[in-house]
Amino acid sequence: MAAHIRRRLRKGATTTAVAAAAVAALAASQAPAATLADGSAGSGDPKAAGEDTASGETDGAATGNSPYYTDLPPLVTPDKPGSSSNLPAAGSAEAGIPASVLAAYKQAERTVATTDPSCRLPWQLLAAIGKVESGQARGGRVDADGTASPRILGPALNGQGFALIKDTDGGAYDGDAVHDRAVGPMQFIPSTWASWGQDANGDGRKDPNNIYDAALAAGRYLCANDRDLAIAADLDKAVLSYNRSTEYLRTVRSWYSYYQRGTHEIPDGTGTLPSTPSTPTPSPSPGGGSGSSATPSPSPSKPGGKPSPGPSKPGGGGSTSPTPKPPTPKPTPPSETFGSLENAGTGPLRATAGQEFDERVSVLARNAVGAPLAKVPVTFTVTGGTGTLFAGGKKTVTVRTGTDGTATAPKLQAGEKAGEFTVTAVAGTGRPRTLTYAATVTARQADAIARTDEKALVAAPGEKFADAVTVKATYKDAVAAGVAVTATMVKDRLGVIDNDKGPYFKDADGKPVRTLTTLTTDADGQLRLPEIFADDNEGTYLLRLTTEGGASVVIELTVKAPEETTPEEPAPDAMETPAATKP
C-alpha cells in the first residue's frame, strides 16, 4: 500500500484527499510527516486554508508562486531520529546533500544567528526549500564558487497558468526582458531579489544563481517580520511567504523533518534529481467561465489544489463570485528589518559612590543584512539598589539611534551605596532585542590619611586619653569626604596581629572593643575618633587606621603611670647674726 501511494505521489497528487493520504502513509511508516502548526491553515490567509495560488497574483511570494518539485521523501528515514547531521556518505541517496550546497546552508544559518539570533533559523529548512525549489541546485551542479551552471530558470510568469509578472530587471537575472522568471537554486523572482539579494561569498556581487548568496537571502527572507522559526506557526508563515500554497508547505515540511533526522555530504553534481514538478493553475477567463481559447482547459493545480474556474450557482445562475481575499502582508525588506542589537564599544562601568561614571552605555542597531539601522528607539533602564541614576535623576530613558545606528544613554550618576547594578538596553517590537551591562559602584576612597596634629597621646592605667585623635583623608590631594575608615588596636605596624590588651574603645553598651568599622570622614575629609581608654597594662601600643582605598596611618598610644614627685624642702631662713657682745 505504501509503495502504491509513493508511486502516485511521484506522479503528482491530483486531489486534496490524495495528499492527505500521503501524509498519513508517511506517518504510518515512521517517515517524517509534515507537522503543521495548530491553526496554521485557518489564519485568515486563503492559501493557508488550502486554496492554492490563482494565476495573476504573487501575494508577495519570494518565488512569484512559481512551480516547484512535488517529490516527497522516501518512506524510509535516512537514519534514526536524533542522529548526527554529519553521517557518512551511505544510505539513501535522497539524504545526501551536495557539498557546496550543504556548506552554503550551514553558512547562512551561522550568519543569520549573529545578526538575528532570535529568528533561530535552522539550515535544514533551507535545505528543504532548496530541495523543493531546485533539487539542491540540480543535484549540486555548481562551479567552484557555488554558482549554478547553467543557471536555473523557472518558466516565464506570463499569466498562462502562472502569475503574470512583467519584466522588472531588464532580463539582467533571468534573460527575459518581457516577463520575469524565478531564478537560481532558491528560485527568487527578480523583484524580490532586488530587495533581498545578498553577497555571501564575498565576490562583490549579489547573484541569485550563486548558492551562497541565494541561501543567505532565503534565510533573511524567512526571518522577516520578527519571525521565530522555532515556533511552528512562524515557520509555517515563513514557508508560505515563499510560495503561497498549502501543498507547498506540506512538501517543504516533509523534507524539513526528513533532513532533521539525518543527512550527509555528497560530492557536487551527484545529487538525486527530482522528477515531478507541480502543475500550473490555469488562468480563469474574464467572465469566470472555462471556455477561453487563450486559457488551458481546467486541470488540477499543484497537489491538493482545486480546478479553476468554480462551479455554477444552483439554478443556472452563472458562475459563483470569487470571495475577496484579504491583503497578505509582504515581508519587510532587510534594509528596514531589525536584525540585531550590539554593544557599540561600551567599556567597564565602574565609579566611586557619589561620582559620575566616565563611561556611557552605547548600543548599535543593525538591520537584517548587518548594516546600521537609524531611528530605532532604544530604552535604557537602571536596575539595582545602589541608588545610581541617569543624569537628571531618571531610572529609564529612551534614545533613538542615529544615522550610524548607535544610541548612547545619558551619563550615569553613582549612588551612595556600594555594590553592583545593571543597565538594560531594549529595542525592537514583536521580538525585542536586549543587551544587559553589568556595572559597579565602589565605596568612596582615599589614598592618604594622616593626623591633624603631632601631640603625644598618653594616658595613665585605667584612665582615658585626654586628647582626642583627629585624622584627615584625601584622594589625589583633594578632600576625601564620606570615606569609610576602620580603626584597630594592633601589635604590629602592618596590622597583621590584633591586640587584645592595652587601649580600647567602648561600644554602645560601654563594653571594651578594640576595632571600629563604622567610621566615616566628614565633608571636610576629617574624622574625630571616639574616646580611647587605657586598661591597667602599661606600655606603648599601636592604633592603625585604614581607609577604603588602602590608605593607612599608625598612631602610638602610651600608657604609663604618672611620675611621682618629691615635695620640695623649704629654703633655710637666713641665719641670725648674734648681737655683738659689748666689751
Side-chain angles (χ1 to χ4, degrees):
M1 178 63 179
H4 176 64
I5 291 176
R6 188 190 314 172
R7 287 194 299 272
R8 294 183 64 188
L9 289 173
R10 290 296 180 269
K11 295 178 181 178
T14 57
T15 64
T16 304
V18 173
V23 173
L26 287 168
S29 64
Q30 303 301 310
T35 305
L36 301 179
D38 291 341
S40 65
S43 59
D45 183 351
K47 302 297 181 298
E51 177 185 334
D52 283 339
T53 303
S55 61
E57 299 181 14
T58 68
D59 290 331
T63 66
N65 297 319
S66 295
Y68 58 92
Y69 289 108
T70 61
D71 299 48
L72 289 173
L75 298 182
V76 178
T77 58
D79 203 84
K80 62 182 180 180
S83 63
S84 169
S85 62
N86 297 312
L87 295 173
S92 171
E94 289 286 7
I97 298 178
S100 294
V101 178
L102 181 60
Y105 296 150
K106 291 185 176 181
Q107 176 178 296
E109 179 191 63
R110 291 191 299 269
T111 301
V112 173
T114 63
T115 60
D116 190 4
S118 54
C119 174
R120 296 190 280 184
L121 169 72
W123 67 260
Q124 292 90 341
L125 179 59
L126 295 175
I129 290 176
K131 179 69 173 180
V132 170
E133 291 294 345
S134 69
Q136 310 299 17
R138 286 200 299 256
R141 286 167 176 77
V142 296
D143 63 19
D145 295 325
T147 301
S149 180
R151 61 183 174 179
I152 303 171
L153 297 175
L157 299 175
N158 56 12
Q160 300 301 309
F162 310 115
L164 173 59
I165 305 179
K166 294 183 179 180
D167 176 65
T168 61
D169 66 332
Y173 294 124
D174 56 13
D176 189 334
V178 179
H179 297 99
D180 273 347
R181 299 168 180 256
V183 183
M186 304 305 282
Q187 288 289 278
F188 279 96
I189 54 174
S191 57
T192 303
W193 185 259
S195 296
W196 292 88
Q198 304 289 302
D199 176 19
N201 64 350
D203 64 357
R205 299 174 59 239
K206 298 178 180 179
D207 184 0
N209 280 291
N210 182 274
I211 184 59
Y212 292 95
D213 294 357
L216 181 57
R220 296 199 190 283
Y221 185 89
L222 293 167
C223 288
N225 298 340
D226 284 334
R227 296 189 188 106
D228 179 353
L229 300 183
I231 299 173
D234 276 8
L235 189 144
D236 288 352
K237 291 176 183 176
V239 174
L240 287 169
S241 76
Y242 221 86
N243 190 314
R244 299 191 181 281
S245 159
T246 301
E247 292 311 315
Y248 178 85
L249 172 61
R250 292 184 185 278
T251 306
V252 169
R253 274 287 207 160
S254 293
W255 282 108
Y256 174 51
S257 181
Y258 182 76
Y259 287 137
Q260 280 186 312
R261 291 174 178 252
T263 185
H264 57 267
E265 177 184 302
I266 61 175
D268 289 346
T270 65
T272 301
L273 296 178
S275 59
T276 310
S278 60
T279 305
T281 303
S283 301
S285 59
S290 58
S292 173
S293 60
T295 304
S297 59
S299 60
S301 64
K302 303 176 183 72
K306 299 178 181 179
S308 176
S312 300
K313 294 180 181 179
S319 62
T320 57
S321 300
T323 302
K325 295 184 294 184
T328 302
K330 297 182 179 180
T332 305
S335 60
E336 304 171 12
T337 301
F338 200 119
S340 63
L341 191 66
E342 305 169 9
N343 185 353
T346 305
L349 296 170
R350 189 179 183 89
T352 302
Q355 303 299 310
E356 193 175 70
F357 281 75
D358 293 332
E359 195 76 17
R360 295 171 68 179
V361 178
S362 184
V363 299
L364 170 63
R366 294 186 185 275
N367 60 22
V369 296
L373 190 60
K375 298 181 181 180
V376 175
V378 182
T379 299
F380 300 92
T381 303
V382 175
T383 304
T386 64
T388 300
L389 299 170
F390 289 112
K394 297 180 179 179
K395 294 187 68 173
T396 300
V397 295
T398 299
V399 180
R400 286 184 176 271
T401 58
T403 55
D404 61 352
T406 63
T408 302
K411 285 195 171 184
L412 288 163
Q413 182 71 32
E416 290 298 332
K417 185 176 180 181
E420 296 183 350
F421 68 97
T422 60
V423 179
T424 303
V426 180
T429 57
R431 290 185 289 111
R433 279 62 164 176
T434 301
L435 278 180
T436 300
Y437 298 80
T440 303
V441 175
T442 59
R444 294 173 183 265
Q445 299 181 359
D447 55 16
I449 185 170
R451 284 188 67 190
T452 57
D453 61 61
E454 296 181 357
K455 188 175 182 179
L457 299 168
V458 182
E463 301 294 332
K464 72 177 180 179
F465 287 79
D467 296 306
V469 176
T470 303
V471 294
K472 182 176 182 178
T474 57
Y475 183 70
K476 296 182 179 179
D477 298 326
V479 168
V483 175
V485 179
T486 298
T488 307
M489 301 297 177
V490 295
K491 290 184 178 181
D492 61 295
R493 287 186 172 274
L494 294 178
V496 177
I497 304 174
D498 293 352
N499 210 335
D500 57 358
K501 65 179 181 178
Y504 60 89
F505 304 103
K506 287 184 178 180
D507 64 13
D509 297 327
K511 296 180 180 179
V513 292
R514 290 185 168 84
T515 298
L516 295 178
T517 58
T518 57
L519 307 174
T520 306
T521 60
D522 62 17
D524 297 323
Q526 293 192 7
L527 170 64
R528 181 185 176 94
L529 268 64
E531 292 180 326
I532 301 175
F533 300 87
D535 62 10
D536 295 333
N537 298 292
E538 294 188 31
T540 299
Y541 297 91
L542 302 177
L543 168 62
R544 191 170 192 268
L545 303 179
T546 305
T547 70
E548 188 73 37
S552 64
V553 62
V554 177
I555 302 169
E556 288 188 354
L557 302 172
T558 302
V559 179
K560 70 176 182 178
E563 295 181 0
E564 294 183 4
T565 59
T566 304
E568 295 183 1
E569 296 181 359
D573 294 337
M575 295 183 65
E576 295 182 359
T577 302
T581 303
K582 294 180 179 180

